[in-house]
Every structure is written in C-alpha cells, then in structure tokens.
Amino acid sequence: MASETPSRVGITLETFILEGMMGHPAATGAFTSLLNQIGLAAKLITSKVRRAGLANVLGYTGQTNVQGEEVQKLDEVANETLIQSLGRRGHCAAIASEEMDEILVLQPDGRARYVMVFDPLDGSSNIDVNISIGTIFGILRRPDASLSVSEADFLVPGKELLAAGYILYGSSTMVVLTTGVASGVHAFTYDPTVGEFFLSHENIRVPEKGKTYSINEGNFGLWTEPVRRWNRWLKEEDKATARPYGQRYVGSLVADAHRTLLKGGVFAYPSDTKNASGKLRLLYEANPFAFVFEAAGGKATTGTERILDIVPTKLHQRVPLVLGSAWDVDAFEQFVRGER
Ligand code: FDP
C-alpha cells in the first residue's frame, strides 16, 4: 500500500523553506534566503499594522506624535520595511513597488539573480476602519544577470514568476506562499506570542466551484453589458448551480482573494467606463494572485485572456481581473464571449 506523505502542519515557515519543501529546482541558498527575508518583513510589518489604530492616540499620520516624531503613513512604512529586509542579504537585484514610480536597484552587481515586485500595503483605504489589509509579492529570476538590472527585468509575463504570495493582516496574520503548481500553495499563521509563522493550511486547493461572488456592485452602471448579464445571472434562482450566489466584498484585494481561495467562488474587478483597463495592477496584484490561484487549481483571466500570459508594457499597468474557482471563472468568460 502506498504510504501517504506525512503532514507538515505545525512546522515553522523558516523550517519549511530551509527543508526545501517548496520543491523548486531554483531553490538555491539565495532563493531560500530571499523567501526568509519575506518572512522577516512579514513579522516587522505585522507589528506595525497591529499598532496602526494607536496612530489616533499617538498622533495622526503626517503629524507629530507625543514623542515629537513624525508619524509616517503605514504604506510607506511597509514599503521601507520590505526594501530594507530584501536589501540586506544582497540576493535581490532590484524591486518594483506599487508605492514607487520607478524600480529601485538594491544590488547593482551581477551576483543578485532575482528581482521582486510588491504591493507593500494593499487595501490601504481600509486601514483607518480597522479592516483586513495585506502585502502582495512576486519573485522573478533575471533573464541575464550579467546585464545591468533594468525595468526590462520586470516586464515579463506572470507565468515566469518563481514564487508569489501574500501576507494577510486579518484576525490573524498569515503568509500564503507558492513556488508554482508542482509545489502547491501553503499558508502559515503567525503566533505573536512566540513570533513565528506556523504551517496551518497545507496544499490549499480552490474548490472546483463556489457559491459566492465578490465585486464592487456599485459599479453596475459602468460595466459592459456581458458583465451585467453575468451579474444578473448569478442572482437568479437555480438549484442545480447553487444560485443565487451570496455576495461578499471587503474592498481589500488580499482579503477578498484569500476568502475566494479557501471557499471558492469568484472575485472580479472588470473593466468599466471609469477604468477602461480595470483598476488593479498587473505586476503587483493580478500576477501574484493569478500565480497563487493557478497553483491551487483555480483560474485567473481578464475575461478574454489568461492573466499569466500577458506581456507587460509598463510597470504600473492596470488590468481587468477575474479569479477564483475554475468553474466560476469559465462561466464569466462564457458570458464575455456571448455563449451564455
Ligand atoms: P485600495 O484602493 O483600498 O488600495 O488595489 C487597490 C484596492 O484597494 C484593492 O485592494 C481592492 O480590491 C480594490 O482596490 C477596491 O476598489 P474599489 O474601492 O473600487 O472597490
């Protein structure tokens, strides 16, 4: 009888990475070190996020607190924390951040073979109201490390990602990480009493079909007709397909996508008359999540094209994003094609 792989639940993120459990051929010392630096940044940012509510007590952002220090905006703090953590070991040649207009070179010589993209604090409009926010990241290998690092290193399709994931600052802090389909998607929950992330969700699989949809429905009047028809269809009654679907929308991509990953269903931020190319950013938001969802058996599309196939033309490019259970993403595409 074939023996089952023993569960790793309960091991620390650091052990998981060090033991090479990601199973990726590129998991050299440099790569694992980079992953560990993300774990460190997650600890540092979570400690700041957890104290964010106290900004009201200690001084509003942009003002001076009772100690006479300037209170920095939390997304800037998260950005700087990531830059410092990733710059420390010299494995990351450059970063592209949602917070910065241009790339930032961290290691100009050819020894650093990786670059990283991140959105340091996504869903920032939710900070002031104490609702879940997150950090999104992706790691790419430089096509040619002998050339000087440039924007071109970042303008590659998402299918080239070596690793991607996110940190969710929710009722607990969680790091969700994958190095692709072969290694699967794993989630680590933070225990603040010991200061460690422990493997809590091993090999996450998106349910094949869900029963919730997540979209800013206030944009109904701005959507294209196929998107409106899809939206009306979700609300019709049909036992066979579990409709009407329930509606869930936090307004923080990390929170909405994380729920969709675990429970199934569909998240959508389609293009509309206000955002002709969608609202979300290809490099920092759509690609890392598309990589995670595909590794977990789900799908991610613009409605007409697989997200991970898109060749970016600029760093801050926006893209329509629909991701979730394979059945639900297929249904969206069928509406766009006029097949339903
Ligand atoms: P935010 O504007 O608060 O930073 O990418 C930004 C984002 O949040 C996503 O996290 C979220 O999914 C989306 O925008 C929400 O947009 P709407 O407010 O237009 O629904």
Side-chain angles (χ1 to χ4, degrees), residues 122-126 216 219 249 251-253 267 269 279-280 285:
D122 182 72
S124 44
S125 53
N126 277 329
N216 184 342
N219 291 335
Y249 192 69
S252 277
L253 175 63
F267 167 89
Y269 209 114
K279 179 186 180 193
L280 304 176
E285 299 177 309

Side-chain angles (χ1 to χ4, degrees), residues 20-333:
M21 291 301 295
M22 308 307 285
H24 196 282
T28 62
F31 183 70
T32 53
S33 159
L34 207 50
L35 292 175
N36 273 320
Q37 290 308 103
I38 295 169
L40 172 65
K43 289 180 193 175
L44 296 171
I45 299 171
T46 201
S47 83
K48 301 196 170 118
V49 166
R50 298 300 174 204
R51 281 187 311 214
L54 288 170
N56 291 344
V57 181
L58 304 174
Y60 292 97
T61 51
Q63 289 186 340
T64 307
N65 70 15
V66 285
Q67 281 94 33
E69 302 153 340
E70 170 120 348
V71 182
Q72 243 188 327
K73 281 179 72 186
L74 204 55
D75 33 17
E76 287 165 13
V77 173
N79 195 48
E80 278 170 27
T81 305
L82 276 159
I83 292 170
Q84 276 167 20
S85 308
L86 299 168
R88 209 159 283 153
R89 301 245 175 103
H91 300 309
C92 183
I95 55 116
S97 161
E98 213 247 2
E99 278 288 304
M100 300 185 315
D101 291 341
E102 289 169 12
I103 67 162
L104 177 72
V105 177
L106 298 177
Q107 186 60 254
D109 71 42
R111 279 174 304 166
R113 290 184 294 135
Y114 303 101
V115 294
M116 270 199 69
V117 289
F118 54 77
D119 182 350
L121 214 56
D122 182 72
S124 44
S125 53
N126 277 329
I127 297 173
D128 292 346
V129 286
N130 201 11
I131 287 176
S132 300
I133 47 179
T135 299
I136 310 167
F137 59 86
I139 303 178
L140 290 158
R141 187 200 290 274
R142 300 190 55 212
D144 186 349
S146 66
L147 303 175
S148 1
V149 61
S150 73
E151 208 175 284
D153 288 317
F154 295 88
L155 300 182
V156 294
K159 62 185 170 199
E160 304 292 338
L161 282 162
L162 289 181
Y166 54 91
I167 308 160
L168 170 66
Y169 313 102
S171 50
S172 52
T173 298
M174 197 178 257
V175 170
V176 178
L177 188 62
T178 183
T179 54
V181 177
S183 63
V185 180
H186 310 280
F188 302 81
T189 303
Y190 190 58
D191 181 343
T193 60
V194 289
E196 288 290 354
F197 284 96
F198 294 97
L199 180 60
S200 52
H201 301 63
E202 193 175 18
N203 205 15
I204 297 170
R205 304 295 297 166
V206 196
E208 175 59 27
K209 179 190 176 307
K211 45 187 186 197
T212 54
Y213 70 102
S214 185
I215 194 165
N216 184 342
E217 204 142 5
N219 291 335
F220 186 91
L222 310 176
W223 294 335
T224 60
E225 194 44 37
V227 176
R228 289 187 213 177
R229 277 194 294 109
W230 163 77
N231 178 260
R232 284 192 209 103
W233 171 82
L234 287 170
K235 293 182 276 193
E236 286 165 10
E237 209 173 333
D238 176 48
K239 275 215 176 84
T241 52
R243 287 179 290 141
Y245 273 28
Q247 206 267 2
R248 298 283 183 278
Y249 192 69
V250 175
S252 277
L253 175 63
V254 177
D256 285 316
H258 181 68
R259 185 196 51 250
T260 306
L261 184 76
L262 295 186
K263 304 266 187 191
V266 58
F267 167 89
Y269 209 114
S271 58
D272 56 46
T273 52
K274 212 168 67 188
N275 305 292
S277 311
K279 179 186 180 193
L280 304 176
R281 311 281 180 166
L282 175 60
L283 262 64
Y284 318 110
E285 299 177 309
N287 272 344
F289 271 112
F291 194 73
V292 167
F293 270 75
E294 287 202 7
K299 286 190 173 181
T301 177
T302 61
T304 54
E305 188 181 6
R306 181 186 175 219
I307 293 286
L308 294 181
D309 284 338
I310 301 171
V311 182
T313 52
K314 52 182 185 186
L315 283 183
H316 295 283
Q317 185 168 338
R318 295 177 193 269
V319 73
L321 175 64
V322 179
L323 50 76
S325 298
W327 191 92
D328 292 286
V329 174
D330 286 346
F332 183 94
E333 286 187 323

Side-chain angles (χ1 to χ4, degrees), residues 12-24:
T12 66
L13 174 60
E14 214 174 303
T15 307
F16 186 88
I17 294 167
L18 285 176
E19 286 184 0
M21 291 301 295
M22 308 307 285
H24 196 282

